[in-house]
Amino acid sequence: MPLIECVPNVSEGRRPEVIRACAEAIAATGAALLDQTSDADHNRSVFTFAGQEAAVRAAVHALVDVALRSIDMRTHTGVHPRMGAVDVVPFVPLGETSINECVRIAREVGAELAARHDLPIFLYEAAASAPHRLALEQVRRGGFEGLTAKLQQPAWIPDFGPTIPHPSAGATIVGARPVLIAFNVNLATDRLDVARAVAAAVRQSSGGLPFVKALGLPLAERGIVQVSMNLTNFRETSIAQAFASVRDAAARYGVAVLESEVIGLVPAEALAAAGAASIQLPNFRADRLLEVQLLQQSGVR
């Protein structure tokens, strides 16, 4: 069956009523809500849903409607980089769906969101309109606070929508990409300098592992720090390799790994070579696997 997965990241991880309203808006459209993960320090929620094109498109619009009514970026704080109330909306091909179909959907939905909400829209990854817009971190650099100045640069005119930020919602980044694994490793220290040094050691852009993006972030509520990673090609750099690299880099500073976590769902293949225990992934359940959720949601449409 041609299915599409969508994994929007919303800039709200502290107000349960807003998170619940977003989830209910998605589910009401008929798309299958496979997972929802929120974090208070990041002040961010990640929703994973899937279905055929019509249902997924409807779910994106329903989610954005709720989020833009409920989130004001002028008062938003959190450790995770962000540009907008609905920060990023990636479309991911599943089953018989091609990446080109997801590119088409991303561009069409991006244009619709811009027209509907007077919202600047940037396209990224496979849907990007220029090489310098391929990487999410490049598009998002400067965050919400730097968005006004960024939009004044000729290189950063939005793909759709106005050249000034939405007053409360900033801008949204829409794209198409393969399956990505959001994988975090928590360190048994509160030293942010260590987390940042470890992140620099493991990420591709500073000479680390291929297909790994990483940031060092503080988790103030727990009094620890985190190496937050995106694994953009888990077949080339596995979860086990990323974990081992973080563990070894942290050990050079005399710091141990506390635990790891997966944000959202993970393909079964990605964990096949490394069991959850070997990467210090506590209490991992089968329903965190993408394939299990898709099977359980046999009514996906």
Side-chain angles (χ1 to χ4, degrees), residues 208-279:
L209 297 171
F211 306 105
V212 173
K213 301 178 181 183
L215 291 171
L217 301 174
L219 301 184
E221 287 198 354
R222 297 185 59 186
I224 60 174
V225 293
Q226 178 183 87
V227 179
S228 177
M229 292 177 284
N230 282 344
L231 311 184
T232 61
N233 187 334
F234 68 85
R235 294 182 178 90
E236 294 296 326
T237 297
S238 69
I239 289 181
Q241 288 171 311
F243 175 83
S245 184
V246 169
R247 180 197 62 209
D248 294 347
R252 291 194 285 271
Y253 295 90
V255 171
V257 166
L258 191 63
E259 64 191 2
S260 69
E261 63 178 3
V262 172
I263 303 301
L265 302 177
V266 59
E269 179 187 349
L271 282 179
S278 70
I279 57 171

Side-chain angles (χ1 to χ4, degrees), residues 3-5 91-94 97-107 127 175-177:
L3 291 177
I4 298 151
E5 180 187 42
F91 293 93
V92 181
L94 299 178
T97 306
S98 70
I99 190 68
N100 288 337
E101 290 175 278
C102 286
V103 167
R104 172 185 59 79
I105 294 166
R107 291 174 176 170
R177 60 161 174 78

Side-chain angles (χ1 to χ4, degrees), residues 168-179:
S168 61
T172 294
I173 309 165
V174 181
R177 60 161 174 78
V179 171

